[in-house]
Amino acid sequence: MRLLFLGPPGAGKGTQAKRVAAELGIPHIATGDMLRQAVAEGTELGLQARAIMERGDLVPDNLVIAMLLERVGRDDATDGFILDGFPRTIAQAEALEARFGGAGLDAAVVIEVDTEEIVRRISGRRVCPNGHVFHIDEAPSSTGGVCDQCGDSVYQREDDRAETVRNRLHVYRDLTEPLIAFYGARDITMHVIDGVGGVDAITDAIMAALNS
Ligand code: ADP
C-alpha cells in the first residue's frame, strides 16, 4: 500500500503517520525529517536546504524529488510506505506518477485542522534531535528540557517560530493544498479525517477509514 498523509503543518501528520506505519508494518517516509537529518549531518543537500527551511519556504523540487525517489527504492519500501511531507507541489506529485505509474499512490489521508489551532499547536511544539515531539501544554517532557525517550535536549524548531509558521501556512495554501484537488481528480481513495481530538481517537479513525 502506497499511502500519502496530507494536511497543513501542525495537523499531526507526523504523529499519526508514524503510528499508522507501525500498525501496517510499512516505513514512514518523512521528507522534513530526512532534510533535518541532512542539515544536522552537514551534507551537501543539508547545506543547500538549511536557510530555505529556516524561512519556511520549500526546498527546490529537484533536490527533494531525488532524495525521495532514492528512499522509496530501498528494500524496506517494496511492499509500500507512508509519505509524510511529500509531495508538497504538483511537480513532486508528477514525479511520483512517473515513478510508479497511475496516480503513484493507492490512497490519501487528508487531515483537517483550522488555522488558529495550527498556530497554537506549532508555537508550543518542542522536539529533540531524534525526532521525539512534545507540546508545552499538552504533552510536555516530564523532565523539563530533556527528552523522556532518549535524554537529548528538547528545543523549538527554528521554523516553528511564529513569523515562520505564518509563511509555512501561506506556502501550504498556495502550493500544497491544490494537491487535494489533484488527487481528487485521480483514481485513488481519499479519506478526510478531522485532526482535532485525542491522538488515539484520531489514529483509530484513520485505521477505520483505511480498513473500510
Ligand atoms: P511541517 O509538516 O510541520 O510543515 P516538515 O517537517 O514536513 O514540516 O517540513 C519542514 C520543512 O522541510 C518545510 O517547511 C520545507 O522547507 C522542507 N520540506 C519538507 N518536505 C519538503 C518537500 N516535499 N518539498 C520541499 N520542501 C520540503
Side-chain angles (χ1 to χ4, degrees), residues 9-10 13 31-33 35-36 52-53 56-59 64 84-88 92 125 157 159 168:
K13 292 188 301 291
T31 45
D33 290 347
L35 290 167
R36 277 187 291 279
I52 299 169
M53 293 175 72
D57 289 330
L58 294 187
V59 176
V64 181
D84 164 12
F86 184 102
R88 250 181 168 86
Q92 293 178 16
R125 174 159 67 183
R157 257 168 58 179
D159 63 346
R168 283 161 62 200

PDB file of all heavy atoms in Angstrom, residues 9-10 13 31-33 35-36 52-53 56-59 64 84-88 92 125 157 159 168, ligand 1:
ATOM      1  N   PRO A   9       0.819  22.168   7.932  1.00  0.00           N
ATOM      2  CA  PRO A   9       1.790  21.969   9.001  1.00  0.00           C
ATOM      3  C   PRO A   9       1.059  22.023  10.335  1.00  0.00           C
ATOM      4  O   PRO A   9       0.136  22.814  10.501  1.00  0.00           O
ATOM      5  CB  PRO A   9       2.758  23.151   8.866  1.00  0.00           C
ATOM      6  CG  PRO A   9       2.112  24.116   7.937  1.00  0.00           C
ATOM      7  CD  PRO A   9       1.108  23.363   7.130  1.00  0.00           C
ATOM      8  N   GLY A  10       1.436  21.168  11.250  1.00  0.00           N
ATOM      9  CA  GLY A  10       0.799  21.174  12.565  1.00  0.00           C
ATOM     10  C   GLY A  10      -0.491  20.381  12.638  1.00  0.00           C
ATOM     11  O   GLY A  10      -1.130  20.328  13.679  1.00  0.00           O
ATOM     12  N   LYS A  13       0.256  15.221  11.095  1.00  0.00           N
ATOM     13  CA  LYS A  13       0.602  14.212  10.081  1.00  0.00           C
ATOM     14  C   LYS A  13       1.704  13.285  10.577  1.00  0.00           C
ATOM     15  O   LYS A  13       1.619  12.085  10.431  1.00  0.00           O
ATOM     16  CB  LYS A  13       1.121  14.873   8.790  1.00  0.00           C
ATOM     17  CG  LYS A  13       0.116  15.652   8.001  1.00  0.00           C
ATOM     18  CD  LYS A  13       0.719  16.070   6.654  1.00  0.00           C
ATOM     19  CE  LYS A  13       1.979  16.914   6.801  1.00  0.00           C
ATOM     20  NZ  LYS A  13       1.743  18.248   7.354  1.00  0.00           N
ATOM     21  N   THR A  31       9.846  13.584   4.502  1.00  0.00           N
ATOM     22  CA  THR A  31      10.914  14.363   3.872  1.00  0.00           C
ATOM     23  C   THR A  31      11.444  15.455   4.807  1.00  0.00           C
ATOM     24  O   THR A  31      12.629  15.771   4.758  1.00  0.00           O
ATOM     25  CB  THR A  31      10.431  14.978   2.540  1.00  0.00           C
ATOM     26  OG1 THR A  31       9.142  15.551   2.725  1.00  0.00           O
ATOM     27  CG2 THR A  31      10.369  13.929   1.454  1.00  0.00           C
ATOM     28  N   GLY A  32      10.572  16.011   5.670  1.00  0.00           N
ATOM     29  CA  GLY A  32      11.055  17.011   6.632  1.00  0.00           C
ATOM     30  C   GLY A  32      12.104  16.412   7.563  1.00  0.00           C
ATOM     31  O   GLY A  32      13.152  17.022   7.819  1.00  0.00           O
ATOM     32  N   ASP A  33      11.841  15.196   8.067  1.00  0.00           N
ATOM     33  CA  ASP A  33      12.807  14.523   8.944  1.00  0.00           C
ATOM     34  C   ASP A  33      14.106  14.236   8.185  1.00  0.00           C
ATOM     35  O   ASP A  33      15.206  14.404   8.716  1.00  0.00           O
ATOM     36  CB  ASP A  33      12.245  13.185   9.463  1.00  0.00           C
ATOM     37  CG  ASP A  33      11.105  13.373  10.463  1.00  0.00           C
ATOM     38  OD1 ASP A  33      10.903  14.499  10.956  1.00  0.00           O
ATOM     39  OD2 ASP A  33      10.408  12.368  10.742  1.00  0.00           O
ATOM     40  N   LEU A  35      15.316  15.830   5.621  1.00  0.00           N
ATOM     41  CA  LEU A  35      16.044  17.087   5.371  1.00  0.00           C
ATOM     42  C   LEU A  35      16.695  17.606   6.652  1.00  0.00           C
ATOM     43  O   LEU A  35      17.833  18.076   6.625  1.00  0.00           O
ATOM     44  CB  LEU A  35      15.106  18.138   4.790  1.00  0.00           C
ATOM     45  CG  LEU A  35      14.649  17.872   3.352  1.00  0.00           C
ATOM     46  CD1 LEU A  35      13.477  18.781   2.970  1.00  0.00           C
ATOM     47  CD2 LEU A  35      15.808  18.078   2.371  1.00  0.00           C
ATOM     48  N   ARG A  36      15.970  17.513   7.775  1.00  0.00           N
ATOM     49  CA  ARG A  36      16.581  17.959   9.047  1.00  0.00           C
ATOM     50  C   ARG A  36      17.806  17.126   9.374  1.00  0.00           C
ATOM     51  O   ARG A  36      18.801  17.626   9.883  1.00  0.00           O
ATOM     52  CB  ARG A  36      15.557  17.910  10.188  1.00  0.00           C
ATOM     53  CG  ARG A  36      14.659  19.153  10.242  1.00  0.00           C
ATOM     54  CD  ARG A  36      13.766  19.170  11.469  1.00  0.00           C
ATOM     55  NE  ARG A  36      12.745  18.150  11.400  1.00  0.00           N
ATOM     56  CZ  ARG A  36      11.608  18.276  10.707  1.00  0.00           C
ATOM     57  NH1 ARG A  36      11.338  19.384  10.057  1.00  0.00           N
ATOM     58  NH2 ARG A  36      10.726  17.294  10.673  1.00  0.00           N
ATOM     59  N   ILE A  52      16.667  27.759   3.575  1.00  0.00           N
ATOM     60  CA  ILE A  52      15.322  27.687   2.991  1.00  0.00           C
ATOM     61  C   ILE A  52      14.328  27.181   4.033  1.00  0.00           C
ATOM     62  O   ILE A  52      13.238  27.742   4.217  1.00  0.00           O
ATOM     63  CB  ILE A  52      15.327  26.734   1.771  1.00  0.00           C
ATOM     64  CG1 ILE A  52      16.278  27.241   0.694  1.00  0.00           C
ATOM     65  CG2 ILE A  52      13.912  26.535   1.241  1.00  0.00           C
ATOM     66  CD1 ILE A  52      16.540  26.248  -0.423  1.00  0.00           C
ATOM     67  N   MET A  53      14.714  26.133   4.745  1.00  0.00           N
ATOM     68  CA  MET A  53      13.821  25.562   5.764  1.00  0.00           C
ATOM     69  C   MET A  53      13.608  26.539   6.909  1.00  0.00           C
ATOM     70  O   MET A  53      12.510  26.644   7.442  1.00  0.00           O
ATOM     71  CB  MET A  53      14.399  24.250   6.281  1.00  0.00           C
ATOM     72  CG  MET A  53      14.406  23.163   5.232  1.00  0.00           C
ATOM     73  SD  MET A  53      15.226  21.674   5.797  1.00  0.00           S
ATOM     74  CE  MET A  53      14.029  21.039   6.974  1.00  0.00           C
ATOM     75  N   GLY A  56      10.931  28.768   6.185  1.00  0.00           N
ATOM     76  CA  GLY A  56       9.628  28.141   5.983  1.00  0.00           C
ATOM     77  C   GLY A  56       9.257  28.008   4.519  1.00  0.00           C
ATOM     78  O   GLY A  56       8.113  27.749   4.175  1.00  0.00           O
ATOM     79  N   ASP A  57      10.233  28.202   3.637  1.00  0.00           N
ATOM     80  CA  ASP A  57       9.987  28.014   2.202  1.00  0.00           C
ATOM     81  C   ASP A  57      10.248  26.557   1.816  1.00  0.00           C
ATOM     82  O   ASP A  57      10.748  25.777   2.621  1.00  0.00           O
ATOM     83  CB  ASP A  57      10.896  28.943   1.384  1.00  0.00           C
ATOM     84  CG  ASP A  57      10.463  30.399   1.511  1.00  0.00           C
ATOM     85  OD1 ASP A  57       9.254  30.643   1.701  1.00  0.00           O
ATOM     86  OD2 ASP A  57      11.336  31.283   1.428  1.00  0.00           O
ATOM     87  N   LEU A  58       9.943  26.229   0.571  1.00  0.00           N
ATOM     88  CA  LEU A  58      10.147  24.850   0.127  1.00  0.00           C
ATOM     89  C   LEU A  58      11.534  24.668  -0.477  1.00  0.00           C
ATOM     90  O   LEU A  58      12.015  25.511  -1.239  1.00  0.00           O
ATOM     91  CB  LEU A  58       9.099  24.454  -0.918  1.00  0.00           C
ATOM     92  CG  LEU A  58       7.650  24.380  -0.443  1.00  0.00           C
ATOM     93  CD1 LEU A  58       6.770  23.801  -1.556  1.00  0.00           C
ATOM     94  CD2 LEU A  58       7.515  23.545   0.820  1.00  0.00           C
ATOM     95  N   VAL A  59      12.141  23.550  -0.153  1.00  0.00           N
ATOM     96  CA  VAL A  59      13.400  23.154  -0.773  1.00  0.00           C
ATOM     97  C   VAL A  59      13.081  22.855  -2.248  1.00  0.00           C
ATOM     98  O   VAL A  59      12.011  22.307  -2.556  1.00  0.00           O
ATOM     99  CB  VAL A  59      13.955  21.922  -0.028  1.00  0.00           C
ATOM    100  CG1 VAL A  59      15.217  21.385  -0.686  1.00  0.00           C
ATOM    101  CG2 VAL A  59      14.215  22.275   1.448  1.00  0.00           C
ATOM    102  N   VAL A  64      14.439  17.597  -3.587  1.00  0.00           N
ATOM    103  CA  VAL A  64      13.563  16.771  -2.754  1.00  0.00           C
ATOM    104  C   VAL A  64      13.127  15.522  -3.527  1.00  0.00           C
ATOM    105  O   VAL A  64      13.055  14.424  -2.965  1.00  0.00           O
ATOM    106  CB  VAL A  64      12.342  17.592  -2.307  1.00  0.00           C
ATOM    107  CG1 VAL A  64      11.442  16.761  -1.419  1.00  0.00           C
ATOM    108  CG2 VAL A  64      12.780  18.829  -1.572  1.00  0.00           C
ATOM    109  N   ASP A  84       4.910  11.355   4.178  1.00  0.00           N
ATOM    110  CA  ASP A  84       4.528  12.441   5.082  1.00  0.00           C
ATOM    111  C   ASP A  84       5.380  13.649   4.698  1.00  0.00           C
ATOM    112  O   ASP A  84       6.587  13.641   4.878  1.00  0.00           O
ATOM    113  CB  ASP A  84       4.804  11.968   6.520  1.00  0.00           C
ATOM    114  CG  ASP A  84       4.829  13.086   7.543  1.00  0.00           C
ATOM    115  OD1 ASP A  84       4.427  14.219   7.228  1.00  0.00           O
ATOM    116  OD2 ASP A  84       5.265  12.800   8.681  1.00  0.00           O
ATOM    117  N   GLY A  85       4.751  14.657   4.102  1.00  0.00           N
ATOM    118  CA  GLY A  85       5.511  15.846   3.707  1.00  0.00           C
ATOM    119  C   GLY A  85       5.945  15.828   2.249  1.00  0.00           C
ATOM    120  O   GLY A  85       6.625  16.746   1.802  1.00  0.00           O
ATOM    121  N   PHE A  86       5.571  14.822   1.521  1.00  0.00           N
ATOM    122  CA  PHE A  86       5.861  14.699   0.086  1.00  0.00           C
ATOM    123  C   PHE A  86       4.724  13.918  -0.541  1.00  0.00           C
ATOM    124  O   PHE A  86       4.346  12.882   0.008  1.00  0.00           O
ATOM    125  CB  PHE A  86       7.180  13.966  -0.140  1.00  0.00           C
ATOM    126  CG  PHE A  86       7.576  13.886  -1.611  1.00  0.00           C
ATOM    127  CD1 PHE A  86       8.540  14.739  -2.130  1.00  0.00           C
ATOM    128  CD2 PHE A  86       6.964  12.960  -2.452  1.00  0.00           C
ATOM    129  CE1 PHE A  86       8.890  14.661  -3.476  1.00  0.00           C
ATOM    130  CE2 PHE A  86       7.304  12.901  -3.802  1.00  0.00           C
ATOM    131  CZ  PHE A  86       8.274  13.750  -4.305  1.00  0.00           C
ATOM    132  N   PRO A  87       4.201  14.340  -1.686  1.00  0.00           N
ATOM    133  CA  PRO A  87       4.519  15.556  -2.430  1.00  0.00           C
ATOM    134  C   PRO A  87       3.953  16.810  -1.759  1.00  0.00           C
ATOM    135  O   PRO A  87       2.937  16.775  -1.098  1.00  0.00           O
ATOM    136  CB  PRO A  87       3.827  15.323  -3.772  1.00  0.00           C
ATOM    137  CG  PRO A  87       2.711  14.383  -3.485  1.00  0.00           C
ATOM    138  CD  PRO A  87       3.190  13.515  -2.371  1.00  0.00           C
ATOM    139  N   ARG A  88       4.643  17.913  -1.978  1.00  0.00           N
ATOM    140  CA  ARG A  88       4.208  19.217  -1.489  1.00  0.00           C
ATOM    141  C   ARG A  88       3.913  20.166  -2.638  1.00  0.00           C
ATOM    142  O   ARG A  88       3.475  21.287  -2.404  1.00  0.00           O
ATOM    143  CB  ARG A  88       5.321  19.825  -0.642  1.00  0.00           C
ATOM    144  CG  ARG A  88       5.044  19.901   0.851  1.00  0.00           C
ATOM    145  CD  ARG A  88       6.240  20.551   1.498  1.00  0.00           C
ATOM    146  NE  ARG A  88       6.054  20.953   2.857  1.00  0.00           N
ATOM    147  CZ  ARG A  88       6.221  20.179   3.921  1.00  0.00           C
ATOM    148  NH1 ARG A  88       6.529  18.912   3.779  1.00  0.00           N
ATOM    149  NH2 ARG A  88       6.081  20.676   5.126  1.00  0.00           N
ATOM    150  N   GLN A  92       6.118  17.593  -7.697  1.00  0.00           N
ATOM    151  CA  GLN A  92       6.527  16.426  -6.902  1.00  0.00           C
ATOM    152  C   GLN A  92       5.532  15.278  -7.088  1.00  0.00           C
ATOM    153  O   GLN A  92       5.922  14.099  -7.169  1.00  0.00           O
ATOM    154  CB  GLN A  92       6.637  16.801  -5.420  1.00  0.00           C
ATOM    155  CG  GLN A  92       7.782  17.783  -5.141  1.00  0.00           C
ATOM    156  CD  GLN A  92       7.870  18.206  -3.682  1.00  0.00           C
ATOM    157  OE1 GLN A  92       7.291  17.598  -2.792  1.00  0.00           O
ATOM    158  NE2 GLN A  92       8.609  19.277  -3.429  1.00  0.00           N
ATOM    159  N   ARG A 125       5.082  23.542  20.130  1.00  0.00           N
ATOM    160  CA  ARG A 125       5.774  22.281  19.838  1.00  0.00           C
ATOM    161  C   ARG A 125       7.247  22.364  20.229  1.00  0.00           C
ATOM    162  O   ARG A 125       7.915  23.372  19.993  1.00  0.00           O
ATOM    163  CB  ARG A 125       5.655  21.970  18.340  1.00  0.00           C
ATOM    164  CG  ARG A 125       6.475  20.751  17.922  1.00  0.00           C
ATOM    165  CD  ARG A 125       5.989  20.149  16.647  1.00  0.00           C
ATOM    166  NE  ARG A 125       6.192  21.004  15.480  1.00  0.00           N
ATOM    167  CZ  ARG A 125       5.778  20.684  14.261  1.00  0.00           C
ATOM    168  NH1 ARG A 125       5.132  19.551  14.053  1.00  0.00           N
ATOM    169  NH2 ARG A 125       5.993  21.500  13.253  1.00  0.00           N
ATOM    170  N   ARG A 157      11.912  24.022  17.159  1.00  0.00           N
ATOM    171  CA  ARG A 157      12.431  24.027  15.782  1.00  0.00           C
ATOM    172  C   ARG A 157      12.506  25.458  15.296  1.00  0.00           C
ATOM    173  O   ARG A 157      11.586  26.235  15.508  1.00  0.00           O
ATOM    174  CB  ARG A 157      11.474  23.234  14.872  1.00  0.00           C
ATOM    175  CG  ARG A 157      11.961  21.857  14.518  1.00  0.00           C
ATOM    176  CD  ARG A 157      10.863  21.030  13.882  1.00  0.00           C
ATOM    177  NE  ARG A 157      10.306  21.627  12.670  1.00  0.00           N
ATOM    178  CZ  ARG A 157       9.342  21.057  11.942  1.00  0.00           C
ATOM    179  NH1 ARG A 157       8.840  19.885  12.293  1.00  0.00           N
ATOM    180  NH2 ARG A 157       8.886  21.656  10.865  1.00  0.00           N
ATOM    181  N   ASP A 159      11.958  26.657  12.474  1.00  0.00           N
ATOM    182  CA  ASP A 159      10.825  27.031  11.618  1.00  0.00           C
ATOM    183  C   ASP A 159       9.485  26.953  12.357  1.00  0.00           C
ATOM    184  O   ASP A 159       8.435  27.139  11.754  1.00  0.00           O
ATOM    185  CB  ASP A 159      10.807  26.208  10.319  1.00  0.00           C
ATOM    186  CG  ASP A 159      10.607  24.720  10.547  1.00  0.00           C
ATOM    187  OD1 ASP A 159      10.746  24.257  11.693  1.00  0.00           O
ATOM    188  OD2 ASP A 159      10.307  24.019   9.558  1.00  0.00           O
ATOM    189  N   ARG A 168       4.888  29.345   6.406  1.00  0.00           N
ATOM    190  CA  ARG A 168       4.631  27.938   6.054  1.00  0.00           C
ATOM    191  C   ARG A 168       3.166  27.718   5.713  1.00  0.00           C
ATOM    192  O   ARG A 168       2.839  26.929   4.827  1.00  0.00           O
ATOM    193  CB  ARG A 168       5.056  27.020   7.208  1.00  0.00           C
ATOM    194  CG  ARG A 168       6.567  26.845   7.257  1.00  0.00           C
ATOM    195  CD  ARG A 168       7.044  26.341   8.592  1.00  0.00           C
ATOM    196  NE  ARG A 168       6.529  25.042   8.936  1.00  0.00           N
ATOM    197  CZ  ARG A 168       6.495  24.562  10.182  1.00  0.00           C
ATOM    198  NH1 ARG A 168       6.932  25.294  11.185  1.00  0.00           N
ATOM    199  NH2 ARG A 168       6.041  23.362  10.408  1.00  0.00           N
TER     200      ARG A 168
HETATM  201  P1  ADP B   1       5.612  20.525   8.655  1.00  0.00           P
HETATM  202  O1  ADP B   1       4.765  19.459   8.043  1.00  0.00           O
HETATM  203  O2  ADP B   1       5.478  20.608  10.141  1.00  0.00           O
HETATM  204  O3  ADP B   1       5.489  21.847   7.969  1.00  0.00           O
HETATM  205  P2  ADP B   1       8.052  19.157   7.748  1.00  0.00           P
HETATM  206  O4  ADP B   1       8.872  18.565   8.819  1.00  0.00           O
HETATM  207  O5  ADP B   1       7.264  18.239   6.884  1.00  0.00           O
HETATM  208  O6  ADP B   1       7.125  20.229   8.463  1.00  0.00           O
HETATM  209  O7  ADP B   1       8.955  20.083   6.776  1.00  0.00           O
HETATM  210  C1  ADP B   1       9.788  21.084   7.272  1.00  0.00           C
HETATM  211  C2  ADP B   1      10.417  21.867   6.116  1.00  0.00           C
HETATM  212  O8  ADP B   1      11.200  20.982   5.294  1.00  0.00           O
HETATM  213  C3  ADP B   1       9.442  22.517   5.139  1.00  0.00           C
HETATM  214  O9  ADP B   1       8.967  23.761   5.614  1.00  0.00           O
HETATM  215  C4  ADP B   1      10.318  22.634   3.886  1.00  0.00           C
HETATM  216  O10 ADP B   1      11.228  23.707   3.985  1.00  0.00           O
HETATM  217  C5  ADP B   1      11.124  21.346   3.921  1.00  0.00           C
HETATM  218  N1  ADP B   1      10.451  20.264   3.177  1.00  0.00           N
HETATM  219  C6  ADP B   1       9.962  19.106   3.685  1.00  0.00           C
HETATM  220  N2  ADP B   1       9.397  18.350   2.727  1.00  0.00           N
HETATM  221  C7  ADP B   1       9.517  19.053   1.571  1.00  0.00           C
HETATM  222  C8  ADP B   1       9.106  18.829   0.225  1.00  0.00           C
HETATM  223  N3  ADP B   1       8.434  17.724  -0.128  1.00  0.00           N
HETATM  224  N4  ADP B   1       9.399  19.781  -0.693  1.00  0.00           N
HETATM  225  C9  ADP B   1      10.056  20.894  -0.366  1.00  0.00           C
HETATM  226  N5  ADP B   1      10.461  21.180   0.884  1.00  0.00           N
HETATM  227  C10 ADP B   1      10.195  20.277   1.840  1.00  0.00           C
END
